[in-house]
Amino acid sequence: MNKTKIKELTFKELCEMLPSTDGEKLPGYRMLTNSGREIFLRSRYEDAVITVYDNGFFTYEVDGMHTVQGVDRCSLTYESVDGIQVAIARSEYEDLPYSMVLESEGSDRIAHNREEQEAYHTSFHLDSDGNDWAEELRSPSIEDIIEKRELEKTELGHIETLYVAMKSLTDKQREVIELRFYQKKSVEEIAVILKLSRQSVYERLNAAIKKLKKFF
């Protein structure tokens, strides 16, 4: 395939040439790069290397960091004057060079992963206090994932999976998870804060943890 032509592909054209990743589980970096999948194209954008695979996923590598995303899952946003991230309509950027769109998505994910890694490493752990819901994520536990991340300092696949898992929760489920495991609140304290019964807190936690478990 002519390299010059590849570099001129628009984001829309690239998406049309690849299979959809909709509904597919996001693979980790090592899983994707060691899968034997054929490289569809590879290009550089400033200091970053973008590698697109024939299954529709791509890797973004820069400064020793890397991330994975589906090409057709890329989106562009901008920050409003109120500090709110606003999504840009796909029709507004689908005719841009594919590398520009993938670079924007990749750099945003790298920045987010850095923040997530620091947050999970310092404060996110699931520690049983005798309640049966705390056992739902025992294998593997979030602590196991963080320990693995320490041993593989450049491997962000697990953090990405956890990020996707957390995004799958409803606002109410994410709220109790954050209170319990980020802010270390007890079930009783959460019940007071949210004005719920202890039973309602347990039920919400159970539902959230069961959903998280599907990703691990």
Short mmCIF file of all heavy atoms in Angstrom, two decimals, residues 138-170:
data_model
loop_
_atom_site.label_atom_id
_atom_site.label_comp_id
_atom_site.label_asym_id
_atom_site.label_seq_id
_atom_site.Cartn_x
_atom_site.Cartn_y
_atom_site.Cartn_z
N ARG A 138 -12.42 -10.33 44.71
CA ARG A 138 -11.23 -10.94 45.28
C ARG A 138 -10.30 -11.48 44.20
O ARG A 138 -9.09 -11.51 44.38
CB ARG A 138 -11.62 -12.06 46.25
CG ARG A 138 -12.09 -11.52 47.59
CD ARG A 138 -11.00 -10.70 48.22
NE ARG A 138 -11.44 -10.11 49.46
CZ ARG A 138 -10.81 -9.15 50.10
NH1 ARG A 138 -9.73 -8.62 49.56
NH2 ARG A 138 -11.25 -8.68 51.23
N SER A 139 -10.84 -11.93 43.09
CA SER A 139 -9.97 -12.55 42.08
C SER A 139 -10.32 -12.03 40.69
O SER A 139 -11.33 -12.40 40.12
CB SER A 139 -10.14 -14.06 42.11
OG SER A 139 -9.33 -14.68 41.12
N PRO A 140 -9.48 -11.16 40.12
CA PRO A 140 -8.36 -10.51 40.79
C PRO A 140 -8.83 -9.27 41.53
O PRO A 140 -9.83 -8.68 41.16
CB PRO A 140 -7.45 -10.11 39.63
CG PRO A 140 -8.43 -9.82 38.54
CD PRO A 140 -9.57 -10.82 38.70
N SER A 141 -8.13 -8.86 42.57
CA SER A 141 -8.50 -7.66 43.31
C SER A 141 -7.86 -6.45 42.67
O SER A 141 -6.91 -6.55 41.91
CB SER A 141 -8.03 -7.77 44.77
OG SER A 141 -6.61 -7.68 44.82
N ILE A 142 -8.37 -5.28 43.01
CA ILE A 142 -7.78 -4.05 42.52
C ILE A 142 -6.35 -3.92 43.03
O ILE A 142 -5.46 -3.44 42.34
CB ILE A 142 -8.63 -2.84 42.94
CG1 ILE A 142 -10.05 -2.96 42.41
CG2 ILE A 142 -7.99 -1.55 42.45
CD1 ILE A 142 -10.12 -3.09 40.90
N GLU A 143 -6.12 -4.39 44.24
CA GLU A 143 -4.77 -4.35 44.80
C GLU A 143 -3.81 -5.19 43.97
O GLU A 143 -2.66 -4.81 43.74
CB GLU A 143 -4.78 -4.84 46.25
CG GLU A 143 -5.43 -3.87 47.22
CD GLU A 143 -5.48 -4.41 48.63
OE1 GLU A 143 -5.63 -5.63 48.78
OE2 GLU A 143 -5.36 -3.62 49.56
N ASP A 144 -4.27 -6.35 43.50
CA ASP A 144 -3.44 -7.19 42.65
C ASP A 144 -3.08 -6.47 41.36
O ASP A 144 -1.96 -6.57 40.85
CB ASP A 144 -4.17 -8.50 42.31
CG ASP A 144 -4.30 -9.41 43.52
OD1 ASP A 144 -3.50 -9.25 44.46
OD2 ASP A 144 -5.21 -10.25 43.51
N ILE A 145 -4.06 -5.75 40.82
CA ILE A 145 -3.83 -5.02 39.58
C ILE A 145 -2.81 -3.92 39.79
O ILE A 145 -1.91 -3.72 38.98
CB ILE A 145 -5.15 -4.43 39.05
CG1 ILE A 145 -6.08 -5.56 38.61
CG2 ILE A 145 -4.90 -3.48 37.88
CD1 ILE A 145 -7.45 -5.11 38.22
N ILE A 146 -2.92 -3.22 40.91
CA ILE A 146 -1.97 -2.14 41.19
C ILE A 146 -0.57 -2.70 41.41
O ILE A 146 0.43 -2.13 40.96
CB ILE A 146 -2.42 -1.33 42.41
CG1 ILE A 146 -3.78 -0.70 42.15
CG2 ILE A 146 -1.39 -0.25 42.75
CD1 ILE A 146 -3.82 0.16 40.90
N GLU A 147 -0.49 -3.84 42.09
CA GLU A 147 0.82 -4.46 42.31
C GLU A 147 1.44 -4.87 40.98
O GLU A 147 2.65 -4.68 40.75
CB GLU A 147 0.67 -5.69 43.20
CG GLU A 147 1.99 -6.37 43.51
CD GLU A 147 1.82 -7.56 44.43
OE1 GLU A 147 0.68 -7.83 44.84
OE2 GLU A 147 2.83 -8.22 44.72
N LYS A 148 0.63 -5.39 40.07
CA LYS A 148 1.14 -5.78 38.77
C LYS A 148 1.60 -4.55 37.99
O LYS A 148 2.61 -4.59 37.29
CB LYS A 148 0.04 -6.51 37.97
CG LYS A 148 0.50 -7.00 36.60
CD LYS A 148 -0.60 -7.79 35.92
CE LYS A 148 -0.15 -8.28 34.55
NZ LYS A 148 0.98 -9.20 34.63
N ARG A 149 0.87 -3.45 38.16
CA ARG A 149 1.26 -2.22 37.47
C ARG A 149 2.60 -1.70 37.97
O ARG A 149 3.39 -1.13 37.22
CB ARG A 149 0.17 -1.15 37.68
CG ARG A 149 0.48 0.19 37.04
CD ARG A 149 0.64 0.06 35.54
NE ARG A 149 1.02 1.31 34.93
CZ ARG A 149 2.25 1.78 34.85
NH1 ARG A 149 3.25 1.08 35.36
NH2 ARG A 149 2.50 2.93 34.28
N GLU A 150 2.88 -1.91 39.26
CA GLU A 150 4.17 -1.50 39.80
C GLU A 150 5.30 -2.33 39.19
O GLU A 150 6.38 -1.82 38.92
CB GLU A 150 4.17 -1.66 41.33
CG GLU A 150 3.54 -0.50 42.07
CD GLU A 150 4.33 0.78 41.84
OE1 GLU A 150 5.48 0.86 42.31
OE2 GLU A 150 3.80 1.68 41.17
N LEU A 151 5.04 -3.62 38.99
CA LEU A 151 6.06 -4.49 38.43
C LEU A 151 6.27 -4.24 36.94
O LEU A 151 7.34 -4.45 36.41
CB LEU A 151 5.67 -5.97 38.66
CG LEU A 151 5.63 -6.42 40.13
CD1 LEU A 151 5.09 -7.84 40.22
CD2 LEU A 151 7.01 -6.32 40.76
N GLU A 152 5.22 -3.81 36.27
CA GLU A 152 5.30 -3.53 34.84
C GLU A 152 4.97 -2.05 34.64
O GLU A 152 3.86 -1.67 34.31
CB GLU A 152 4.31 -4.40 34.07
CG GLU A 152 4.55 -5.88 34.27
CD GLU A 152 3.49 -6.72 33.59
OE1 GLU A 152 2.55 -6.15 33.00
OE2 GLU A 152 3.61 -7.95 33.65
N LYS A 153 5.96 -1.21 34.88
CA LYS A 153 5.73 0.22 34.97
C LYS A 153 5.19 0.84 33.68
O LYS A 153 4.57 1.89 33.72
CB LYS A 153 7.03 0.93 35.38
CG LYS A 153 7.47 0.59 36.80
CD LYS A 153 8.72 1.39 37.18
CE LYS A 153 9.19 1.00 38.57
NZ LYS A 153 8.22 1.33 39.61
N THR A 154 5.43 0.23 32.56
CA THR A 154 4.94 0.81 31.31
C THR A 154 3.67 0.15 30.81
O THR A 154 3.15 0.52 29.75
CB THR A 154 6.02 0.68 30.21
OG1 THR A 154 6.33 -0.69 29.99
CG2 THR A 154 7.28 1.43 30.61
N GLU A 155 3.16 -0.83 31.56
CA GLU A 155 1.97 -1.56 31.12
C GLU A 155 0.72 -0.91 31.71
O GLU A 155 0.51 -0.93 32.91
CB GLU A 155 2.07 -3.02 31.56
CG GLU A 155 0.85 -3.84 31.19
CD GLU A 155 0.59 -3.80 29.71
OE1 GLU A 155 1.43 -4.29 28.95
OE2 GLU A 155 -0.45 -3.26 29.33
N LEU A 156 -0.11 -0.31 30.85
CA LEU A 156 -1.29 0.40 31.32
C LEU A 156 -2.59 -0.35 31.00
O LEU A 156 -3.67 0.16 31.21
CB LEU A 156 -1.35 1.79 30.69
CG LEU A 156 -0.25 2.77 31.14
CD1 LEU A 156 -0.37 4.06 30.36
CD2 LEU A 156 -0.33 3.03 32.62
N GLY A 157 -2.47 -1.57 30.49
CA GLY A 157 -3.66 -2.29 30.07
C GLY A 157 -4.67 -2.49 31.18
O GLY A 157 -5.88 -2.32 30.99
N HIS A 158 -4.18 -2.87 32.38
CA HIS A 158 -5.09 -3.13 33.49
C HIS A 158 -5.76 -1.84 33.97
O HIS A 158 -6.94 -1.85 34.33
CB HIS A 158 -4.35 -3.80 34.64
CG HIS A 158 -3.85 -5.17 34.32
ND1 HIS A 158 -4.69 -6.21 34.04
CD2 HIS A 158 -2.60 -5.66 34.22
CE1 HIS A 158 -3.97 -7.30 33.78
NE2 HIS A 158 -2.70 -6.98 33.87
N ILE A 159 -4.99 -0.76 33.99
CA ILE A 159 -5.56 0.50 34.42
C ILE A 159 -6.64 0.94 33.43
O ILE A 159 -7.69 1.45 33.82
CB ILE A 159 -4.47 1.59 34.51
CG1 ILE A 159 -3.37 1.15 35.52
CG2 ILE A 159 -5.07 2.92 34.95
CD1 ILE A 159 -3.88 0.94 36.93
N GLU A 160 -6.37 0.74 32.14
CA GLU A 160 -7.35 1.09 31.12
C GLU A 160 -8.63 0.28 31.31
O GLU A 160 -9.74 0.79 31.21
CB GLU A 160 -6.78 0.85 29.74
CG GLU A 160 -5.66 1.82 29.38
CD GLU A 160 -5.04 1.50 28.03
OE1 GLU A 160 -5.50 0.53 27.40
OE2 GLU A 160 -4.12 2.22 27.63
N THR A 161 -8.46 -1.03 31.61
CA THR A 161 -9.63 -1.89 31.80
C THR A 161 -10.44 -1.43 33.01
O THR A 161 -11.67 -1.39 32.97
CB THR A 161 -9.19 -3.35 32.01
OG1 THR A 161 -8.45 -3.78 30.87
CG2 THR A 161 -10.40 -4.25 32.20
N LEU A 162 -9.74 -1.06 34.08
CA LEU A 162 -10.43 -0.58 35.27
C LEU A 162 -11.16 0.72 34.99
O LEU A 162 -12.28 0.94 35.46
CB LEU A 162 -9.42 -0.38 36.41
CG LEU A 162 -10.00 0.01 37.78
CD1 LEU A 162 -11.06 -0.99 38.22
CD2 LEU A 162 -8.90 0.12 38.81
N TYR A 163 -10.54 1.57 34.19
CA TYR A 163 -11.17 2.84 33.81
C TYR A 163 -12.46 2.57 33.04
O TYR A 163 -13.51 3.18 33.31
CB TYR A 163 -10.20 3.65 32.96
CG TYR A 163 -10.82 4.82 32.25
CD1 TYR A 163 -11.29 5.93 32.94
CD2 TYR A 163 -10.95 4.80 30.86
CE1 TYR A 163 -11.87 6.99 32.29
CE2 TYR A 163 -11.53 5.87 30.20
CZ TYR A 163 -11.98 6.96 30.91
OH TYR A 163 -12.55 8.00 30.26
N VAL A 164 -12.39 1.66 32.08
CA VAL A 164 -13.57 1.31 31.29
C VAL A 164 -14.64 0.71 32.19
O VAL A 164 -15.84 1.00 32.06
CB VAL A 164 -13.21 0.32 30.16
CG1 VAL A 164 -14.47 -0.18 29.45
CG2 VAL A 164 -12.27 0.98 29.17
N ALA A 165 -14.21 -0.14 33.14
CA ALA A 165 -15.16 -0.77 34.06
C ALA A 165 -15.89 0.27 34.91
O ALA A 165 -17.11 0.21 35.08
CB ALA A 165 -14.42 -1.76 34.98
N MET A 166 -15.15 1.23 35.43
CA MET A 166 -15.76 2.28 36.24
C MET A 166 -16.74 3.12 35.42
O MET A 166 -17.78 3.54 35.90
CB MET A 166 -14.68 3.16 36.85
CG MET A 166 -13.87 2.50 37.96
SD MET A 166 -14.85 2.13 39.43
CE MET A 166 -15.11 3.78 40.09
N LYS A 167 -16.39 3.36 34.14
CA LYS A 167 -17.27 4.14 33.28
C LYS A 167 -18.58 3.41 32.99
O LYS A 167 -19.57 4.03 32.63
CB LYS A 167 -16.55 4.45 31.96
CG LYS A 167 -15.38 5.40 32.09
CD LYS A 167 -15.81 6.83 32.28
CE LYS A 167 -16.34 7.43 31.00
NZ LYS A 167 -16.65 8.87 31.16
N SER A 168 -18.57 2.07 33.16
CA SER A 168 -19.78 1.29 32.88
C SER A 168 -20.82 1.40 33.99
O SER A 168 -21.97 1.03 33.79
CB SER A 168 -19.41 -0.19 32.67
OG SER A 168 -19.12 -0.81 33.92
N LEU A 169 -20.41 1.90 35.15
CA LEU A 169 -21.32 2.01 36.28
C LEU A 169 -22.28 3.19 36.10
O LEU A 169 -21.98 4.16 35.41
CB LEU A 169 -20.54 2.21 37.58
CG LEU A 169 -19.53 1.14 37.97
CD1 LEU A 169 -18.83 1.53 39.28
CD2 LEU A 169 -20.19 -0.23 38.11
N THR A 170 -23.42 3.09 36.75
CA THR A 170 -24.33 4.23 36.77
C THR A 170 -23.75 5.27 37.73
O THR A 170 -22.84 4.99 38.52
CB THR A 170 -25.72 3.82 37.28
OG1 THR A 170 -25.62 3.41 38.66
CG2 THR A 170 -26.29 2.66 36.45
#
